[in-house]
């Protein structure tokens, strides 16, 4: 390159600098990211279409932000299911469901070869699947994609799914059973109504979970429960914990072996569900991104309320979801008696003997 | 006359009914056998609930089996004897059927009492972890309702004519055939799940069978 050309390029870059610098503000960067995302999405769909046109013709089914490529023979099934699935995903995840547009899916039925299209998220259903079955698979796939978009702090905290596939009532009832039965000091205090203890039991607080979740006796019991196979080289520490009552030895074993949280993913997912319900359509966006903030602060921002209020609302929800024991409500007992009488009358009313 | 009918039904059913009474007494005891075990872990309460949930299936199954047996026993001799004995009696059919039904129901009372005693004994002897409660009487009441309901259903079917039984079977078979034909024609209508829900969910007749059959629960 000649000396003259270098000067021309340097002059051009220097003259463009103010424009480049002004373009670095957050809003402009977001707009650029959005445009890039759209371009990526268009490119992925175009690549998929080109591949499908070259190898096997596929239809594109769209519903909301869901983009699904499917064999023409199965398009009716996906068309019916995708509307249901999108409504569900949109109601579950709010604005964050729109990010699904950047991950087109490839649907095919089990037992048939996968269409030869790369770069697409696979969704597989049984060959006898009905539209509700396919909708279930699409919701599941959509949920997995949305979870993959969230940062690892949240996705590790919630477990395999951000929200469980079971109905909220079932999930809350399971959480109630855990709240009553978990061998954990933090959980017992949570049940009694202490918000901090609930936050600790849910794993929202920074610090050593072994100390936050369990008291000395519970830690010792957990170590005593560990099998010889799991203890391995920790055998002597385990003996010091269980026989000599050394809490530091108990902590050593628990830290090395991993500590089972007293409240499972059911309880955590129920908190996510409540947070999304309280925080509106943008709640998941605030919850899923923001590694610089603590998890409890993200929950508070997402729900639009102080974390203590959120935690206490969660506790109320769980306690209200207490599973119905074997006792029968009066109305149910009368209904059963009514059916017994009705069936009896059916047997008595006939005048025929044979 | 009721005493005679009761006595004959007792004679016909006792060999099978007695083991079933023992089973009803034993079921709650078996369901809590893991409670208070010194080998259990800190998660004992949760494990106990899981075990009780597994055993819980036994209650509606036992109720159905006993009810089916008693309903069939109540009418089997009449069907075999072509109802000659019943026709020779100076009473209307409904009166005779009512006495047959009452005798069977009275014998079923023994099963309910056995289950209740078993549940009380199990709840009294088991070491129940903190946070859990025993519901022996509620379990027995629910078992009684399920048992009498199943008995009434089977009694109505067995009391009917062969043609009635045929109609019942034809309706069930017809629903299955319609579902299969609709699927084959590409019409996706979930007929069987719809009917199943109407039967199992309140106020359906079989609603009493659904839910948690747990002697010990939260």
């Amino acid at each position: 390159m000649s000396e003259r050309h270098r000067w021309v390029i340097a002059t051009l870059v220097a003259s463009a600098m103010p424009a480049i610098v002004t373009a670095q503000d957050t809003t402009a960067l977001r707009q650029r990211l959005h445009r890039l995302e759209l371009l990526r999405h268009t490119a992925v769909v175009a690549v998929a279409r080109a591949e499908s046109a070259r190898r096997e013709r596929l239809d594109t089914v769209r519903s909301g932000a869901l983009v699904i490529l499917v064999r023409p023979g199965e398009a009716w099934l996906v068309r019916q299911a995708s509307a249901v699935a999108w409504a569900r995903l949109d109601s579950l995840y709010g604005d964050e469901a729109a990010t699904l547009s950047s991950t087109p899916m490839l649907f095919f039925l089990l037992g048939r070869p996968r269409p030869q299209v790369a770069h697409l998220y696979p969704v597989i259903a049984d060959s006898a699947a009905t539209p509700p079955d396919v909708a279930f698979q699409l919701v599941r796939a959509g949920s997995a994609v949305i979870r993959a978009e969230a940062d690892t702090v949240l996705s590790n905290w919630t477990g395999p799914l951000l929200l469980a596939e079971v109905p909220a009532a079932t999930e809350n009832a399971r959480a109630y059973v855990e709240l009553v039965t978990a061998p954990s000091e933090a959980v017992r205090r949570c049940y009694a109504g202490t918000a901090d203890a609930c936050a600790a039991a849910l794993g929202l607080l920074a610090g050593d979970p072994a100390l936050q979740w369990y008291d000395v006796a519970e830690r010792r019991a957990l170590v005593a429960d560990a099998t010889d196979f799991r203890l391995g080289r920790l055998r002597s520490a385990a003996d010091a914990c269980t026989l000599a009552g050394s809490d530091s030895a108990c902590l050593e074993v628990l830290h090395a072996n991993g500590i089972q949280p007293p409240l499972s993913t059911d309880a955590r997912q129920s908190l996510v569900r409540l947070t999304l319900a309280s925080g509106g359509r943008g709640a998941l966006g605030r919850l899923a991104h923001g590694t610089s903030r603590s998890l409890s602060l993200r929950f508070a921002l997402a729900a639009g309320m102080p974390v203590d209020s959120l935690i206490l609302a969660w506790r109320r929800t769980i306690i209200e979801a207490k599973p119905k024991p074997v006792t029968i409500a009066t109305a149910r007992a009368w209904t059963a008696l009514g059916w017994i009488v009705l069936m009896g009358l059916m047997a008595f009313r006939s005048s025929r003997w044979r | 006359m009721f005493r005679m009918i009761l006595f004959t039904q007792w004679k016909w059913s006792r060999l099978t009914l007695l083991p079933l009474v023992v089973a009803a007494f034993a079921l709650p005891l078996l369901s809590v056998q893991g409670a208070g075990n010194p080998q259990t872990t800190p998660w004992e309460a949760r494990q106990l609930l899981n075990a009780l949930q597994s055993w819980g299936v036994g209650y509606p199954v036992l109720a159905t089996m006993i009810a089916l047996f008693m309903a069939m026993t109540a009418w089997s001799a009449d069907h075999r004897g072509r109802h000659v004995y019943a026709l020779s009696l100076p009473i209307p059919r409904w009166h005779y059927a009512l006495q047959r039904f009452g005798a069977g129901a009275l014998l079923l009372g023994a099963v309910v009492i056995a289950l209740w005693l078993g549940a009380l004994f199990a709840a009294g002897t088991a070491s129940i972890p903190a946070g859990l409660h025993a519901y022996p009487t509620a379990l027995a009441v629910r078992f009684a309702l399920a048992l009498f309901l199943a008995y009434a259903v089977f009694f109505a079917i067995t009391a009917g004519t062969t043609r009635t039984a045929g109609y019942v079977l034809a309706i069930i078979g017809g629903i299955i055939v319609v579902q299969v034909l609709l699927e084959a024609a590409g019409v996706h209508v979930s007929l069987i799940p719809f009917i199943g829900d109407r039967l199992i969910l309140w106020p359906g007749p079989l609603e009493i069978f659904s839910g948690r059959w747990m002697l010990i629960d939260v």
Side-chain angles (χ1 to χ4, degrees):
Chain A
M1 192 185 284
S2 70
E3 192 67 18
R4 192 181 155 206
H5 281 140
R6 276 192 196 146
W7 276 109
V8 169
I9 291 167
T11 311
L12 279 172
V13 170
S15 63
M17 278 305 279
I20 293 169
V21 171
T22 50
Q24 296 305 310
D25 67 78
T26 319
T27 318
L29 275 173
R30 277 207 183 120
Q31 283 170 353
R32 278 179 163 195
L33 266 174
H34 183 63
R35 278 201 299 277
L36 268 174
E37 195 56 46
L38 283 176
L39 283 171
R40 191 176 79 84
H41 160 62
T42 314
V44 170
V45 173
V47 167
R49 275 207 193 120
E51 281 188 43
S52 74
R54 191 153 47 89
R55 293 175 181 153
E56 181 183 3
R57 199 176 81 76
L58 295 176
D59 285 356
T60 305
V61 175
R62 289 172 195 276
S63 200
L66 280 175
V67 182
I68 309 146
L69 272 75
V70 57
R71 289 191 171 100
E74 293 147 15
W76 69 270
L77 184 64
V78 174
R79 207 163 281 126
Q80 282 186 26
S82 63
V84 178
W86 171 249
R88 175 101 181 111
L89 286 164
D90 189 51
S91 70
L92 279 176
Y93 299 107
D95 291 344
E96 205 69 4
T99 58
L100 287 169
S101 65
S102 59
T103 311
M105 297 174 183
L106 174 67
F107 176 86
F108 58 97
L109 292 176
L110 205 66
R112 299 194 60 190
R114 177 190 166 132
Q116 294 298 308
V117 184
H119 320 299
L120 297 181
Y121 193 93
V123 182
I124 310 164
D126 187 74
S127 54
T130 58
D133 299 333
V134 176
F136 177 80
Q137 294 298 339
L138 288 174
V139 171
R140 195 174 196 170
S143 302
V145 170
I146 290 169
R147 179 185 179 272
E149 299 282 328
D151 65 43
T152 49
V153 175
L154 181 71
S155 54
N156 287 343
W157 183 84
T158 54
L161 291 168
L162 287 180
L163 294 174
E165 289 152 2
V166 296
T170 309
E171 184 181 69
N172 292 342
R174 285 183 193 163
Y176 180 91
V177 172
E178 291 180 3
L179 205 58
V180 173
T181 61
S184 156
E185 172 67 16
V187 174
R188 279 193 296 279
R189 282 176 43 232
C190 173
Y191 184 73
T194 311
D196 276 353
C198 294
L202 285 163
L204 287 178
L205 302 184
D208 185 351
L211 294 170
Q212 287 177 358
W213 291 339
Y214 304 107
D215 64 18
V216 176
E218 288 158 356
R219 286 196 286 273
R220 197 175 305 133
L222 286 173
V223 172
D225 186 39
T227 59
D228 287 346
F229 172 73
R230 277 177 58 212
L231 288 171
R233 65 185 172 77
L234 296 164
R235 185 70 260 176
S236 58
D239 287 343
C241 166
T242 53
L243 302 175
S246 161
D247 191 43
S248 59
C250 295
L251 286 169
E252 183 190 341
V253 175
L254 290 174
H255 290 149
N257 257 355
I259 310 154
Q260 185 177 353
L263 297 179
S264 73
T265 50
D266 279 324
R268 293 180 176 197
Q269 287 163 354
S270 68
L271 179 67
V272 173
R273 199 185 289 270
L274 179 68
T275 305
L276 301 192
S278 309
R281 292 187 58 81
L284 184 56
R286 295 192 292 277
L287 181 64
H289 311 289
T291 41
S292 58
R293 300 187 188 104
S294 69
L295 203 51
S296 59
L297 181 59
R298 282 160 67 174
F299 268 100
L301 286 172
M305 64 173 87
V307 74
D308 279 4
S309 307
L310 174 67
I311 293 285
L312 288 175
W314 170 82
R315 182 186 160 277
R316 269 197 308 277
T317 308
I318 298 301
I319 287 182
E320 282 165 11
K322 177 183 176 179
K324 283 180 193 155
V326 73
T327 46
I328 309 164
T330 317
R332 290 176 66 200
W334 279 113
T335 308
L337 275 173
W339 281 110
I340 292 170
V341 171
L342 186 71
M343 291 296 163
L345 288 175
M346 282 172 71
F348 307 146
R349 64 171 280 282
S350 172
S351 60
R352 298 181 58 148
W353 287 100
R354 303 200 64 231
Chain B
M1 186 182 150
F2 178 72
R3 278 179 55 199
M4 284 314 297
I5 288 179
L6 178 64
F7 178 69
T8 49
Q9 272 183 227
W10 161 247
K11 251 176 59 177
W12 298 331
S13 61
R14 65 187 171 190
L15 285 179
T16 310
L17 190 63
L18 282 174
L20 290 171
V21 168
V22 173
F25 180 79
L27 188 55
L29 294 169
L30 289 170
S31 71
V32 297
Q33 60 188 327
N37 185 342
Q39 299 299 316
T40 49
T41 72
W43 306 91
E44 181 198 0
R46 223 171 277 181
Q47 288 173 350
L48 178 63
L49 287 182
N50 288 338
L52 283 161
Q53 205 154 6
S54 305
W55 281 101
V57 181
Y59 296 102
V61 169
L62 187 68
T64 309
M65 273 172 49
I66 297 174
L68 178 63
F69 166 72
M70 286 306 291
M72 287 177 68
T73 308
W75 286 107
S76 61
D78 282 318
H79 287 321
R80 270 200 312 274
R82 296 180 177 272
H83 301 275
V84 170
Y85 167 69
L87 283 165
S88 68
L89 295 171
I91 53 171
R93 184 188 182 279
W94 69 266
H95 193 182
Y96 182 74
L98 181 62
Q99 298 209 30
R100 277 258 177 262
F101 184 85
L106 205 61
L107 292 174
L108 288 179
V111 181
V112 175
I113 290 169
L115 186 122
W116 186 43
L117 291 176
L120 283 172
F121 189 62
T125 53
S127 153
I128 301 171
L132 302 186
H133 307 279
Y135 299 93
T137 304
L139 180 72
V141 169
R142 188 165 176 176
F143 182 81
L145 284 171
L147 183 66
F148 288 122
L149 178 64
Y151 174 65
V153 171
F154 291 130
F155 188 87
I157 293 171
T158 50
T161 60
T162 315
R163 192 185 295 173
T164 310
Y167 286 151
V168 172
L169 280 175
I171 289 168
I172 295 169
I175 291 167
I176 294 169
V177 168
V178 169
Q179 177 74 73
V180 170
L181 288 176
L182 285 173
E183 287 292 328
V187 180
H188 298 284
V189 178
S190 303
L191 194 62
I192 293 176
F194 175 79
I195 294 170
D197 284 352
R198 299 288 87 71
L199 291 173
I200 287 171
L201 299 179
W202 192 83
L206 305 181
E207 192 266 345
I208 197 79
F209 285 89
S210 63
R212 293 158 72 89
W213 289 79
M214 312 262 284
L215 172 60
I216 296 168
D217 206 346
V218 288

